[in-house]
Amino acid sequence: MASLADIISKERLLLIDFSAEWCGPCKMLAPVLKEVKSKLGDKVTILKLDVDKNPVAAQSYQIQGVPTLILFKAGKQVWRQSGLVPAPALQQLIENHQ
């Protein structure tokens, strides 16, 4: 299985959703991410990462709270935000980084 660093470096545009099963806002973010993916298709890869199951990854990206979204472009972090983001705003943000 590829490491997170490998996935980040290989994907042209990658959105990682750092979340947890017990997190209410994380559950509310799921349909937002689904909507964005359905509109943008192959323009972006969306990866959900459970911080409880991946503590090393959460620590390496200094995740303090969930949900935290980080957008990577060609292996570099270009945007980061904790909390809920409305689908239209998230879609626009991703399109701005294409």
Side-chain angles (χ1 to χ4, degrees):
M1 190 172 168
S3 74
L4 184 58
D6 288 341
I7 294 169
I8 290 169
S9 66
K10 286 181 181 143
E11 294 295 333
R12 198 177 66 74
L13 205 55
L14 173 70
L15 180 69
I16 301 181
D17 169 22
F18 289 90
S19 64
E21 286 180 21
W22 48 264
C23 166
C26 298
K27 292 177 180 136
M28 293 165 55
L29 189 59
V32 169
L33 296 176
K34 192 173 185 177
E35 180 182 333
V36 168
K37 181 64 178 171
S38 72
K39 290 188 173 159
L40 295 179
D42 292 338
K43 294 177 184 174
V44 65
T45 300
I46 298 176
L47 178 68
K48 186 177 180 92
L49 199 74
D50 188 315
V51 295
D52 293 329
K53 294 177 183 164
N54 300 281
V56 174
Q59 186 177 10
S60 66
Y61 289 98
Q62 289 113 27
I63 303 303
Q64 302 293 323
V66 289
T68 294
L69 296 172
I70 302 180
L71 183 65
F72 294 91
K73 181 176 184 176
K76 303 229 182 314
Q77 183 176 314
V78 293
W79 175 83
R80 174 184 181 130
Q81 183 170 320
S82 294
L84 289 173
V85 181
L90 188 57
Q91 181 180 339
Q92 184 65 54
L93 186 117
I94 291 168
E95 288 174 339
N96 291 345
H97 283 95
Q98 286 180 348

Coordinates of all heavy atoms in Angstrom, one line a residue:
M1 N 0.8 -1.2 0.0 CA 0.0 0.0 0.0 C 0.9 1.3 0.0 O 1.9 1.3 0.7 CB -0.9 0.0 1.2 CG -2.0 1.0 1.2 SD -3.1 0.8 2.6 CE -4.0 2.3 2.5
A2 N 0.5 2.2 -0.8 CA 1.3 3.5 -0.9 C 1.2 4.3 0.4 O 0.1 4.3 1.1 CB 0.8 4.3 -2.1
S3 N 2.2 5.0 0.7 CA 2.2 5.8 1.9 C 1.4 7.1 1.6 O 1.2 7.5 0.4 CB 3.6 6.2 2.3 OG 4.2 7.1 1.4
L4 N 1.0 7.8 2.6 CA 0.3 9.1 2.4 C 1.2 10.1 1.6 O 0.7 10.7 0.7 CB -0.1 9.7 3.7 CG -1.0 10.9 3.7 CD1 -2.3 10.7 2.9 CD2 -1.3 11.4 5.1
A5 N 2.5 10.1 1.9 CA 3.4 11.0 1.2 C 3.4 10.7 -0.3 O 3.5 11.6 -1.1 CB 4.8 11.0 1.8
D6 N 3.4 9.4 -0.6 CA 3.4 8.9 -2.0 C 2.2 9.4 -2.7 O 2.2 9.9 -3.8 CB 3.5 7.4 -2.1 CG 4.9 6.9 -1.7 OD1 5.9 7.7 -1.7 OD2 5.0 5.7 -1.4
I7 N 1.0 9.2 -2.0 CA -0.3 9.6 -2.6 C -0.3 11.1 -2.9 O -0.7 11.6 -4.0 CB -1.4 9.2 -1.7 CG1 -1.5 7.6 -1.7 CG2 -2.8 9.7 -2.2 CD1 -2.4 7.1 -0.6
I8 N 0.2 11.9 -1.9 CA 0.2 13.3 -2.0 C 1.1 13.8 -3.2 O 0.7 14.7 -3.9 CB 0.6 14.0 -0.7 CG1 -0.5 13.8 0.4 CG2 0.9 15.5 -0.9 CD1 -0.1 14.2 1.8
S9 N 2.2 13.1 -3.3 CA 3.1 13.6 -4.4 C 2.7 13.2 -5.8 O 3.0 13.8 -6.7 CB 4.5 13.0 -4.1 OG 4.5 11.6 -4.2
K10 N 1.9 12.1 -5.9 CA 1.5 11.6 -7.2 C 0.2 12.3 -7.7 O 0.0 12.4 -8.9 CB 1.2 10.1 -7.1 CG 2.5 9.3 -7.0 CD 2.2 7.8 -7.0 CE 3.5 7.1 -6.9 NZ 3.5 5.9 -6.1
E11 N -0.7 12.7 -6.8 CA -2.0 13.3 -7.2 C -1.7 14.7 -7.6 O -1.1 15.4 -6.9 CB -3.0 13.2 -6.1 CG -3.5 11.8 -5.8 CD -4.2 11.1 -6.9 OE1 -4.8 11.7 -7.8 OE2 -4.1 9.8 -7.0
R12 N -2.3 15.1 -8.8 CA -2.2 16.5 -9.2 C -2.9 17.4 -8.3 O -2.4 18.5 -7.9 CB -2.8 16.6 -10.6 CG -2.3 17.8 -11.3 CD -2.8 17.9 -12.8 NE -4.3 18.0 -12.8 CZ -5.0 19.1 -12.6 NH1 -4.3 20.2 -12.2 NH2 -6.3 19.1 -12.7
L13 N -4.2 17.1 -7.9 CA -5.0 17.9 -7.0 C -5.6 16.9 -6.0 O -6.4 16.0 -6.4 CB -6.0 18.7 -7.7 CG -6.5 20.0 -7.1 CD1 -5.4 20.9 -6.7 CD2 -7.5 20.7 -8.0
L14 N -5.3 17.0 -4.7 CA -5.8 16.1 -3.7 C -6.3 16.8 -2.5 O -5.7 17.7 -1.9 CB -4.6 15.2 -3.2 CG -4.9 14.3 -2.1 CD1 -5.8 13.1 -2.4 CD2 -3.5 13.7 -1.5
L15 N -7.6 16.5 -2.1 CA -8.2 17.1 -0.9 C -8.3 15.9 0.1 O -8.8 14.9 -0.1 CB -9.6 17.6 -1.3 CG -10.3 18.2 -0.1 CD1 -9.7 19.5 0.3 CD2 -11.8 18.4 -0.4
I16 N -7.6 16.2 1.3 CA -7.7 15.2 2.3 C -8.6 15.7 3.4 O -8.5 16.8 3.9 CB -6.3 14.9 2.9 CG1 -5.4 14.4 1.9 CG2 -6.4 13.9 4.1 CD1 -4.0 14.0 2.4
D17 N -9.6 14.9 3.8 CA -10.5 15.2 4.8 C -10.1 14.4 6.1 O -10.2 13.2 6.2 CB -11.9 14.7 4.4 CG -12.9 14.7 5.5 OD1 -12.7 15.4 6.5 OD2 -14.0 14.0 5.4
F18 N -9.4 15.1 7.0 CA -9.0 14.5 8.3 C -10.3 14.5 9.2 O -10.8 15.6 9.5 CB -7.9 15.3 8.9 CG -6.6 15.1 8.2 CD1 -6.2 16.0 7.2 CD2 -5.7 14.1 8.5 CE1 -5.0 15.9 6.5 CE2 -4.5 14.0 7.9 CZ -4.1 14.9 6.9
S19 N -10.7 13.3 9.5 CA -12.0 13.2 10.3 C -11.9 12.1 11.3 O -10.9 11.5 11.5 CB -13.2 13.0 9.3 OG -13.0 11.7 8.7
A20 N -13.1 11.9 12.0 CA -13.2 10.8 13.0 C -14.6 10.3 13.0 O -15.5 11.1 12.7 CB -12.8 11.3 14.4
E21 N -14.8 9.0 13.3 CA -16.1 8.4 13.3 C -17.0 9.1 14.3 O -18.2 9.2 14.1 CB -16.0 6.9 13.6 CG -15.5 6.2 12.4 CD -15.4 4.7 12.7 OE1 -16.1 4.2 13.7 OE2 -14.6 4.0 12.0
W22 N -16.5 9.6 15.5 CA -17.3 10.1 16.5 C -17.7 11.6 16.3 O -18.4 12.2 17.1 CB -16.6 10.0 17.9 CG -15.2 10.4 17.8 CD1 -14.1 9.6 17.6 CD2 -14.7 11.8 17.9 NE1 -12.9 10.4 17.6 CE2 -13.3 11.7 17.7 CE3 -15.3 13.0 18.0 CZ2 -12.5 12.9 17.7 CZ3 -14.5 14.2 18.0 CH2 -13.1 14.1 17.9
C23 N -17.2 12.2 15.2 CA -17.3 13.6 15.0 C -18.6 14.0 14.2 O -18.7 13.6 13.0 CB -16.0 14.1 14.2 SG -16.1 15.7 13.5
G24 N -19.5 14.7 14.8 CA -20.7 15.1 14.2 C -20.5 16.0 12.9 O -21.1 15.7 11.9
P25 N -19.7 17.1 13.0 CA -19.5 17.9 11.8 C -18.8 17.1 10.7 O -19.1 17.4 9.5 CB -18.6 19.0 12.3 CG -18.9 19.1 13.8 CD -19.2 17.7 14.2
C26 N -18.0 16.1 11.0 CA -17.4 15.2 10.0 C -18.5 14.5 9.2 O -18.4 14.4 8.0 CB -16.5 14.2 10.6 SG -15.1 14.9 11.5
K27 N -19.5 14.0 9.9 CA -20.6 13.3 9.2 C -21.4 14.3 8.3 O -21.8 14.0 7.3 CB -21.5 12.7 10.3 CG -20.9 11.5 11.0 CD -21.8 11.0 12.0 CE -21.1 9.8 12.7 NZ -21.2 9.8 14.1
M28 N -21.5 15.6 8.8 CA -22.2 16.6 8.0 C -21.4 17.0 6.8 O -21.9 17.4 5.8 CB -22.5 17.8 8.9 CG -23.4 17.6 10.0 SD -23.5 18.8 11.3 CE -23.8 20.3 10.3
L29 N -20.1 16.8 6.8 CA -19.2 17.2 5.7 C -19.2 16.1 4.6 O -19.0 16.4 3.4 CB -17.8 17.3 6.2 CG -16.7 17.9 5.3 CD1 -17.1 19.3 4.8 CD2 -15.4 17.9 5.9
A30 N -19.6 14.9 4.9 CA -19.6 13.8 3.9 C -20.4 14.1 2.7 O -19.9 13.9 1.6 CB -20.0 12.5 4.6
P31 N -21.7 14.5 2.9 CA -22.5 14.8 1.6 C -21.9 16.0 0.9 O -22.1 16.1 -0.4 CB -23.9 15.1 2.2 CG -23.8 15.3 3.6 CD -22.5 14.6 4.1
V32 N -21.3 17.0 1.6 CA -20.6 18.1 0.9 C -19.5 17.6 0.0 O -19.4 18.0 -1.2 CB -20.1 19.1 1.9 CG1 -19.2 20.1 1.3 CG2 -21.2 19.8 2.7
L33 N -18.7 16.7 0.5 CA -17.6 16.2 -0.3 C -18.1 15.3 -1.5 O -17.6 15.4 -2.6 CB -16.7 15.3 0.6 CG -15.9 16.1 1.7 CD1 -15.1 15.2 2.6 CD2 -15.0 17.2 1.1
K34 N -19.2 14.6 -1.2 CA -19.8 13.8 -2.3 C -20.3 14.7 -3.4 O -20.1 14.4 -4.6 CB -20.9 13.0 -1.7 CG -21.4 11.9 -2.6 CD -22.4 11.0 -1.9 CE -22.9 9.9 -2.8 NZ -23.8 9.0 -2.2
E35 N -20.9 15.8 -3.1 CA -21.5 16.7 -4.0 C -20.3 17.4 -4.8 O -20.4 17.5 -6.1 CB -22.3 17.8 -3.3 CG -22.8 18.9 -4.3 CD -23.6 20.0 -3.6 OE1 -24.1 19.8 -2.5 OE2 -23.6 21.1 -4.2
V36 N -19.3 17.8 -4.2 CA -18.1 18.4 -4.8 C -17.5 17.4 -5.8 O -17.2 17.7 -6.9 CB -17.1 18.9 -3.8 CG1 -15.8 19.3 -4.4 CG2 -17.7 20.1 -3.0
K37 N -17.3 16.2 -5.3 CA -16.7 15.1 -6.2 C -17.6 14.9 -7.4 O -17.1 14.7 -8.5 CB -16.5 13.8 -5.4 CG -15.9 12.7 -6.2 CD -14.5 13.0 -6.6 CE -13.8 11.9 -7.3 NZ -12.6 12.2 -8.0
S38 N -18.9 14.8 -7.2 CA -19.8 14.6 -8.4 C -19.7 15.7 -9.4 O -19.9 15.5 -10.6 CB -21.2 14.4 -7.9 OG -21.8 15.6 -7.5
K39 N -19.5 16.9 -8.9 CA -19.4 18.1 -9.9 C -18.0 18.2 -10.5 O -17.9 18.6 -11.7 CB -19.7 19.4 -9.1 CG -21.2 19.4 -8.8 CD -21.6 20.8 -8.3 CE -23.1 20.7 -8.1 NZ -23.6 21.7 -7.2
L40 N -17.0 17.8 -9.8 CA -15.6 18.0 -10.3 C -15.0 16.7 -10.9 O -14.0 16.8 -11.6 CB -14.7 18.6 -9.2 CG -15.0 20.0 -8.7 CD1 -14.1 20.4 -7.6 CD2 -15.0 21.0 -9.8
G41 N -15.6 15.6 -10.5 CA -15.1 14.3 -11.1 C -13.6 14.1 -11.0 O -13.1 14.2 -9.9
D42 N -12.9 13.8 -12.1 CA -11.5 13.5 -12.0 C -10.6 14.7 -11.8 O -9.4 14.5 -11.8 CB -11.1 12.8 -13.4 CG -11.8 11.4 -13.4 OD1 -12.2 10.9 -12.4 OD2 -11.9 10.9 -14.6
K43 N -11.1 15.9 -11.7 CA -10.3 17.1 -11.5 C -9.7 17.1 -10.2 O -8.7 17.7 -9.9 CB -11.1 18.4 -11.7 CG -11.6 18.6 -13.1 CD -12.5 19.8 -13.2 CE -13.1 20.0 -14.6 NZ -14.0 21.1 -14.6
V44 N -10.3 16.3 -9.2 CA -9.7 16.3 -7.9 C -9.9 14.9 -7.3 O -10.9 14.2 -7.6 CB -10.4 17.3 -6.9 CG1 -11.9 17.0 -6.8 CG2 -9.7 17.5 -5.6
T45 N -8.9 14.5 -6.5 CA -9.0 13.2 -5.7 C -9.4 13.6 -4.3 O -8.7 14.5 -3.7 CB -7.7 12.4 -5.8 OG1 -7.4 12.1 -7.1 CG2 -7.8 11.2 -5.0
I46 N -10.4 13.0 -3.7 CA -10.7 13.3 -2.3 C -10.5 12.0 -1.5 O -10.9 10.9 -1.8 CB -12.2 13.7 -2.2 CG1 -12.5 15.0 -3.0 CG2 -12.6 13.9 -0.7 CD1 -13.9 15.4 -3.1
L47 N -9.7 12.2 -0.4 CA -9.3 11.1 0.4 C -9.8 11.4 1.9 O -9.5 12.5 2.4 CB -7.8 11.0 0.4 CG -7.1 9.9 1.3 CD1 -7.5 8.6 0.8 CD2 -5.6 10.1 1.3
K48 N -10.5 10.5 2.4 CA -10.9 10.6 3.8 C -10.0 9.9 4.7 O -9.6 8.7 4.5 CB -12.3 10.0 3.9 CG -13.0 10.2 5.3 CD -14.4 9.7 5.3 CE -15.1 9.9 6.6 NZ -15.8 11.1 6.7
L49 N -9.5 10.5 5.8 CA -8.5 9.9 6.6 C -9.0 10.0 8.1 O -9.2 11.1 8.6 CB -7.2 10.6 6.5 CG -5.9 9.9 7.0 CD1 -5.6 8.8 6.0 CD2 -4.8 10.9 7.1
D50 N -9.2 8.9 8.7 CA -9.6 8.8 10.1 C -8.4 9.1 11.0 O -7.4 8.3 11.0 CB -10.2 7.5 10.4 CG -10.9 7.4 11.8 OD1 -10.3 7.9 12.8 OD2 -12.0 6.9 11.8
V51 N -8.5 10.2 11.8 CA -7.3 10.5 12.7 C -7.1 9.5 13.8 O -5.9 9.4 14.2 CB -7.5 12.0 13.3 CG1 -7.5 13.0 12.2 CG2 -8.7 12.1 14.1
D52 N -8.1 8.8 14.2 CA -7.9 7.8 15.3 C -7.2 6.6 14.7 O -6.5 5.9 15.5 CB -9.3 7.4 15.9 CG -9.9 8.6 16.6 OD1 -9.2 9.4 17.2 OD2 -11.2 8.7 16.7
K53 N -7.4 6.3 13.5 CA -6.8 5.1 12.9 C -5.5 5.4 12.2 O -4.7 4.5 11.9 CB -7.8 4.5 11.8 CG -9.0 3.9 12.4 CD -10.0 3.4 11.4 CE -11.2 2.9 12.0 NZ -12.3 2.7 11.1
N54 N -5.2 6.7 12.0 CA -4.0 7.2 11.4 C -3.3 8.3 12.2 O -3.1 9.4 11.7 CB -4.2 7.7 10.0 CG -4.8 6.6 9.1 OD1 -4.1 5.7 8.6 ND2 -6.2 6.6 8.9
P55 N -3.0 8.0 13.5 CA -2.5 9.1 14.4 C -1.2 9.7 13.9 O -0.9 10.9 14.1 CB -2.3 8.4 15.7 CG -2.2 6.9 15.4 CD -3.0 6.7 14.2
V56 N -0.3 8.9 13.2 CA 1.0 9.4 12.8 C 0.7 10.5 11.7 O 1.3 11.6 11.7 CB 1.9 8.3 12.2 CG1 3.2 8.9 11.6 CG2 2.2 7.4 13.4
A57 N -0.2 10.2 10.7 CA -0.5 11.2 9.7 C -1.1 12.4 10.3 O -0.8 13.5 9.9 CB -1.4 10.5 8.7
A58 N -2.0 12.2 11.2 CA -2.7 13.4 11.9 C -1.6 14.3 12.6 O -1.7 15.5 12.5 CB -3.7 12.9 12.9
Q59 N -0.7 13.6 13.2 CA 0.4 14.4 14.0 C 1.3 15.1 13.0 O 1.7 16.2 13.2 CB 1.1 13.4 14.8 CG 2.1 14.1 15.7 CD 2.9 13.2 16.7 OE1 2.8 11.9 16.5 NE2 3.6 13.7 17.6
S60 N 1.6 14.4 11.9 CA 2.6 15.0 10.9 C 2.0 16.2 10.2 O 2.8 17.1 9.8 CB 3.1 14.0 9.9 OG 2.1 13.6 9.1
Y61 N 0.7 16.3 10.2 CA 0.0 17.5 9.6 C -0.6 18.4 10.6 O -1.4 19.3 10.3 CB -1.0 17.1 8.5 CG -0.3 16.5 7.3 CD1 -0.2 15.2 7.1 CD2 0.2 17.4 6.4 CE1 0.5 14.6 6.0 CE2 0.9 16.9 5.3 CZ 1.0 15.5 5.1 OH 1.7 15.0 4.0
Q62 N -0.2 18.2 11.9 CA -0.6 19.0 13.0 C -2.1 19.2 13.1 O -2.6 20.4 13.2 CB 0.1 20.4 13.0 CG 1.6 20.3 13.4 CD 2.5 20.6 12.2 OE1 2.1 21.4 11.3 NE2 3.7 20.1 12.1
I63 N -2.9 18.1 12.9 CA -4.3 18.2 13.0 C -4.7 18.4 14.4 O -4.5 17.5 15.3 CB -5.0 16.9 12.4 CG1 -4.5 16.7 10.9 CG2 -6.5 17.0 12.5 CD1 -4.7 17.8 10.0
Q64 N -5.3 19.5 14.8 CA -5.7 19.9 16.1 C -7.2 19.5 16.4 O -7.6 19.3 17.5 CB -5.5 21.4 16.4 CG -4.1 21.8 16.2 CD -3.1 21.2 17.2 OE1 -3.5 21.1 18.4 NE2 -1.9 20.9 16.8
G65 N -8.0 19.6 15.3 CA -9.4 19.4 15.4 C -10.0 18.8 14.1 O -9.3 18.9 13.1
V66 N -11.1 18.1 14.2 CA -11.7 17.5 13.0 C -13.1 18.1 12.9 O -13.7 18.5 13.8 CB -11.8 16.0 13.2 CG1 -10.4 15.4 13.0 CG2 -12.4 15.5 14.5
P67 N -13.6 18.2 11.6 CA -12.9 17.9 10.4 C -11.9 19.0 10.0 O -12.1 20.2 10.3 CB -14.0 17.9 9.4 CG -15.0 18.8 9.9 CD -14.9 18.7 11.4
T68 N -10.7 18.6 9.5 CA -9.8 19.5 8.9 C -9.6 19.1 7.4 O -9.3 17.9 7.2 CB -8.4 19.5 9.6 OG1 -8.6 20.0 10.9 CG2 -7.4 20.4 8.9
L69 N -9.7 20.0 6.5 CA -9.5 19.8 5.1 C -8.2 20.4 4.7 O -7.9 21.5 5.0 CB -10.6 20.4 4.3 CG -12.0 19.8 4.5 CD1 -13.1 20.7 3.7 CD2 -12.1 18.4 4.0
I70 N -7.4 19.6 3.9 CA -6.1 20.2 3.4 C -6.1 19.9 1.9 O -6.4 18.7 1.5 CB -4.9 19.6 4.1 CG1 -4.9 19.8 5.6 CG2 -3.6 20.2 3.4 CD1 -3.7 19.2 6.3
L71 N -5.9 20.9 1.1 CA -5.8 20.7 -0.4 C -4.3 20.8 -0.8 O -3.6 21.7 -0.4 CB -6.6 21.8 -1.1 CG -6.6 21.8 -2.6 CD1 -7.4 20.5 -3.0 CD2 -7.3 23.0 -3.2
F72 N -3.9 19.7 -1.5 CA -2.6 19.6 -2.0 C -2.6 19.8 -3.5 O -3.5 19.2 -4.2 CB -1.9 18.3 -1.6 CG -1.7 18.1 -0.2 CD1 -2.7 17.5 0.6 CD2 -0.5 18.5 0.4 CE1 -2.5 17.3 2.0 CE2 -0.3 18.3 1.8 CZ -1.3 17.7 2.6
K73 N -1.7 20.5 -4.1 CA -1.5 20.6 -5.5 C -0.1 20.2 -5.8 O 0.9 20.8 -5.3 CB -1.8 22.0 -6.0 CG -1.7 22.2 -7.5 CD -2.1 23.5 -8.0 CE -2.1 23.6 -9.5 NZ -2.5 24.9 -10.0
A74 N 0.1 19.2 -6.7 CA 1.4 18.7 -7.0 C 2.3 18.5 -5.8 O 3.5 18.8 -5.8 CB 2.0 19.6 -8.0
G75 N 1.7 17.9 -4.8 CA 2.5 17.6 -3.6 C 2.7 18.7 -2.6 O 3.3 18.4 -1.5
K76 N 2.2 19.9 -2.8 CA 2.4 21.0 -1.9 C 1.0 21.4 -1.3 O 0.0 21.5 -2.0 CB 3.0 22.2 -2.7 CG 4.3 21.9 -3.3 CD 5.3 22.9 -3.0 CE 6.6 22.7 -3.7 NZ 7.2 21.5 -3.7
Q77 N 1.0 21.7 0.0 CA -0.2 22.2 0.6 C -0.5 23.6 0.1 O 0.3 24.5 0.2 CB 0.0 22.2 2.1 CG -1.2 22.6 2.9 CD -1.0 22.4 4.4 OE1 -0.5 21.5 4.9 NE2 -1.4 23.5 5.1
V78 N -1.7 23.8 -0.4 CA -2.1 25.1 -1.0 C -3.2 25.7 -0.2 O -3.5 26.9 -0.3 CB -2.4 25.0 -2.5 CG1 -1.2 24.7 -3.3 CG2 -3.6 24.0 -2.7
W79 N -3.9 24.9 0.6 CA -5.1 25.5 1.4 C -5.4 24.5 2.5 O -5.2 23.3 2.4 CB -6.3 25.6 0.5 CG -7.6 26.0 1.2 CD1 -7.9 27.3 1.5 CD2 -8.6 25.2 1.6 NE1 -9.1 27.3 2.1 CE2 -9.6 26.0 2.2 CE3 -8.8 23.8 1.6 CZ2 -10.8 25.5 2.7 CZ3 -10.0 23.3 2.1 CH2 -11.0 24.2 2.7
R80 N -5.9 25.1 3.6 CA -6.2 24.3 4.8 C -7.3 25.0 5.6 O -7.2 26.2 5.8 CB -5.0 24.1 5.7 CG -5.2 23.4 7.0 CD -3.9 23.4 7.8 NE -4.1 22.7 9.0 CZ -3.3 21.8 9.5 NH1 -2.3 21.4 8.9 NH2 -3.6 21.2 10.7
Q81 N -8.3 24.3 6.1 CA -9.3 24.9 7.0 C -9.9 23.8 7.9 O -10.1 22.7 7.4 CB -10.4 25.5 6.1 CG -11.4 26.2 7.0 CD -12.4 27.0 6.2 OE1 -12.0 27.7 5.2 NE2 -13.6 27.0 6.5
S82 N -10.2 24.2 9.1 CA -10.9 23.3 10.0 C -12.3 23.7 10.0 O -12.7 24.8 9.9 CB -10.3 23.4 11.4 OG -9.0 22.9 11.4
G83 N -13.2 22.7 10.2 CA -14.6 23.0 10.3 C -15.3 22.7 9.0 O -14.7 22.3 8.0
L84 N -16.6 23.0 9.0 CA -17.4 22.8 7.8 C -17.2 23.8 6.7 O -17.0 25.0 7.1 CB -18.9 22.7 8.1 CG -19.4 21.5 8.9 CD1 -20.8 21.7 9.4 CD2 -19.3 20.3 8.1
V85 N -17.2 23.4 5.5 CA -17.1 24.3 4.3 C -18.3 24.0 3.4 O -18.5 22.9 3.1 CB -15.8 24.1 3.6 CG1 -15.6 25.1 2.4 CG2 -14.6 24.2 4.5
P86 N -19.1 25.1 3.0 CA -20.2 24.8 2.1 C -19.7 24.3 0.8 O -18.6 24.7 0.3 CB -20.8 26.2 2.0 CG -20.3 27.0 3.0 CD -18.9 26.4 3.4
A87 N -20.5 23.4 0.2 CA -20.1 22.8 -1.1 C -19.7 23.8 -2.2 O -18.7 23.6 -2.8 CB -21.2 21.8 -1.6
P88 N -20.5 24.9 -2.4 CA -20.2 25.8 -3.5 C -18.8 26.5 -3.2 O -18.0 26.7 -4.2 CB -21.3 26.8 -3.5 CG -22.4 26.1 -2.8 CD -21.8 25.2 -1.9
A89 N -18.5 26.8 -2.0 CA -17.3 27.5 -1.6 C -16.1 26.5 -1.8 O -15.0 26.9 -2.4 CB -17.3 28.0 -0.2
L90 N -16.3 25.3 -1.4 CA -15.2 24.3 -1.6 C -15.0 24.0 -3.1 O -13.8 23.9 -3.5 CB -15.6 23.0 -0.8 CG -14.5 21.9 -0.7 CD1 -13.3 22.4 -0.1 CD2 -15.1 20.7 0.1
Q91 N -16.0 23.9 -3.8 CA -15.9 23.6 -5.3 C -15.1 24.8 -5.9 O -14.2 24.6 -6.7 CB -17.2 23.4 -5.9 CG -17.2 23.2 -7.4 CD -18.6 23.0 -8.0 OE1 -19.5 22.7 -7.3 NE2 -18.6 23.2 -9.3
Q92 N -15.5 26.0 -5.6 CA -14.8 27.2 -6.2 C -13.3 27.2 -5.8 O -12.5 27.5 -6.6 CB -15.5 28.5 -5.7 CG -15.0 29.7 -6.3 CD -15.2 29.8 -7.8 OE1 -16.4 29.7 -8.2 NE2 -14.2 30.0 -8.5
L93 N -13.1 26.9 -4.5 CA -11.7 26.9 -4.0 C -10.8 25.9 -4.8 O -9.7 26.2 -5.2 CB -11.7 26.6 -2.6 CG -10.3 26.7 -1.9 CD1 -10.3 27.7 -0.9 CD2 -9.9 25.3 -1.4
I94 N -11.4 24.7 -5.0 CA -10.6 23.7 -5.8 C -10.5 24.1 -7.2 O -9.4 24.0 -7.8 CB -11.4 22.3 -5.7 CG1 -11.3 21.8 -4.2 CG2 -10.8 21.3 -6.6 CD1 -12.2 20.6 -3.9
E95 N -11.5 24.6 -7.8 CA -11.4 25.1 -9.2 C -10.3 26.2 -9.4 O -9.6 26.3 -10.3 CB -12.8 25.6 -9.7 CG -13.7 24.4 -10.0 CD -15.1 24.9 -10.4 OE1 -15.5 26.0 -10.1 OE2 -15.8 24.0 -11.0
N96 N -10.2 27.1 -8.4 CA -9.2 28.1 -8.4 C -7.8 27.6 -8.4 O -6.9 28.3 -8.7 CB -9.4 29.1 -7.2 CG -10.7 29.9 -7.4 OD1 -11.3 30.0 -8.4 ND2 -11.1 30.5 -6.3
H97 N -7.6 26.4 -7.9 CA -6.3 25.8 -7.8 C -5.9 24.8 -8.9 O -4.9 24.2 -8.9 CB -6.1 25.1 -6.4 CG -5.9 26.1 -5.3 ND1 -6.9 26.5 -4.5 CD2 -4.7 26.7 -4.8 CE1 -6.4 27.4 -3.6 NE2 -5.1 27.5 -3.8
Q98 N -6.8 24.7 -9.9 CA -6.5 23.8 -11.0 C -5.4 24.2 -11.9 O -5.2 25.3 -12.2 CB -7.8 23.5 -11.8 CG -8.7 22.6 -11.0 CD -10.0 22.3 -11.7 OE1 -10.3 22.9 -12.8 NE2 -10.8 21.4 -11.2

